[in-house]
Amino acid sequence: MEEIIDYLSGINPILAAFYAAMFTWAVTALGASLVFFIKTMNRNFLDASLGFTGGVMVAASIWSLLIPAIDMSEGEGFMQVVPAIVGFLLGAGFLFALDKSLPHFHVNFKQVEGVKSPWQKTTLLILAITLHNIPEGLAVGVLFGAVAVGIPDASIGGAVALALGIGLQNFPEGIAVAMPLRRMGISRRKSFFYGQLSAIVEPASAVLGAVAVGIFAPMLPYALSFAAGAMIFVVVEEVIPEAQQNKNSDLATLGFIIGFIVMMTLDVVLG
């Protein structure tokens, strides 16, 4: 791990953000590849994995994004937290607008959300998972961008920790796309293709986040909390409700706790 951190420290931070996001995409593809080897996914495992995903995203939002955003903000007392509040609200509002305007399908809910669309459920399912991945890629890119502009509270280790945590929770996301597509009658090859495709937005959004921070360095606290607000919205709106749809709430809750602990530990140890 130290070798990876040293390598990323020595290259362009935007390129480092791209490499880190490519890792998160690759883990998604790895999860989707299970469609070639198994016929059905155990529901208990999937719900626990969704809980784990939620735990990682919440911990990442707090430890990797919100706390650094507050620490690097100027002012004292309430004024110090204003950028985090504003950015958080903008991030949540951005995902709320996408959620209401972009049609997408949730397997567990068995319903289509967003505006009415003639698109097939397969397309809508891919869009649902893609919505999850936008803030994740932004979060990775913003942290690497913070390193690029020399923010004292930002470190390559912290950015790597975030990418590693997001990568871990992307594994069940790949499963969550590929396996339902297979059950809908899509071939294994196409199910895998669409499963990994849902995370291809992460490298693009990571690069966008890193570039934006490099251009608008004073906006960094807002950018970090923006990514946090977007991630928390996804967790509360979709990840946790989907994990709780079946009779496995205890497993989903345990998965959430484990995911939170794993991400918190990664951030403290590597950051």
Side-chain angles (χ1 to χ4, degrees):
M1 183 60 67
E2 291 183 0
E3 290 79 6
I4 295 175
I5 293 176
D6 290 340
Y7 172 74
L8 293 177
S9 299
I11 65 174
N12 185 294
I14 295 176
L15 184 60
F18 176 75
Y19 286 160
M22 285 298 292
F23 163 75
T24 64
W25 162 80
V27 180
T28 305
L30 183 62
S33 70
L34 292 185
V35 75
F36 291 113
F37 308 104
I38 59 177
K39 293 183 178 180
T40 59
M41 177 55 58
N42 183 276
R43 186 69 239 182
N44 292 341
F45 172 80
L46 187 56
D47 287 342
S49 297
L50 286 171
F52 180 87
T53 294
V56 168
M57 293 176 73
V58 170
S61 298
I62 297 172
W63 293 89
S64 300
L65 301 173
L66 283 176
I67 291 178
I70 294 171
D71 287 343
M72 66 182 61
S73 298
E74 299 179 355
E76 297 180 356
F78 176 74
M79 295 307 299
Q80 187 178 14
V81 79
V82 167
I85 294 174
V86 173
F88 191 90
L89 290 174
L90 289 175
F94 174 71
L95 260 291
F96 177 80
L98 285 182
D99 187 69
K100 295 304 179 183
S101 60
L102 187 65
H104 53 286
F105 175 70
H106 296 279
V107 175
N108 286 346
F109 295 156
K110 295 182 173 60
Q111 66 182 27
V112 176
E113 293 185 353
V115 298
K116 292 184 178 180
S117 171
W119 296 343
Q120 296 181 348
K121 288 183 178 180
T122 53
T123 302
L124 299 178
L125 176 62
I126 296 166
L127 287 175
I129 303 298
T130 301
L131 282 176
H132 292 193
N133 292 323
I134 291 175
E136 295 169 5
L138 282 175
V140 172
V142 166
L143 273 187
F144 277 100
V147 175
V149 297
I151 301 298
D153 295 298
S155 68
I156 287 291
V160 170
L162 178 62
L164 183 58
I166 289 177
L168 289 175
Q169 59 92 32
N170 271 4
F171 184 80
E173 285 192 2
I175 300 172
V177 178
M179 296 304 295
L181 290 177
R182 179 59 180 160
R183 290 199 301 269
M184 291 177 185
I186 306 298
S187 69
R188 294 181 188 273
R189 182 174 297 180
K190 286 186 176 180
S191 296
F192 166 75
F193 174 76
Y194 291 128
Q196 60 82 31
L197 187 65
S198 65
I200 202 65
V201 69
E202 289 194 9
S205 55
V207 170
L208 177 63
V211 171
V213 170
I215 297 174
F216 306 104
M219 301 298 292
L220 183 57
Y222 297 92
L224 288 170
S225 50
F226 180 96
M231 289 177 69
I232 292 295
F233 178 88
V234 168
V235 173
V236 176
E237 170 71 11
E238 299 181 358
V239 175
I240 292 178
E242 289 198 28
Q244 299 283 339
Q245 278 291 299
N246 295 283
K247 299 179 180 179
N248 305 316
S249 59
D250 290 342
L251 287 175
T253 302
L254 181 60
F256 182 96
I257 293 171
I258 294 174
F260 189 96
I261 292 173
V262 168
M263 186 63 234
M264 178 178 65
T265 303
L266 286 173
D267 187 83
V268 172
V269 172
L270 297 180

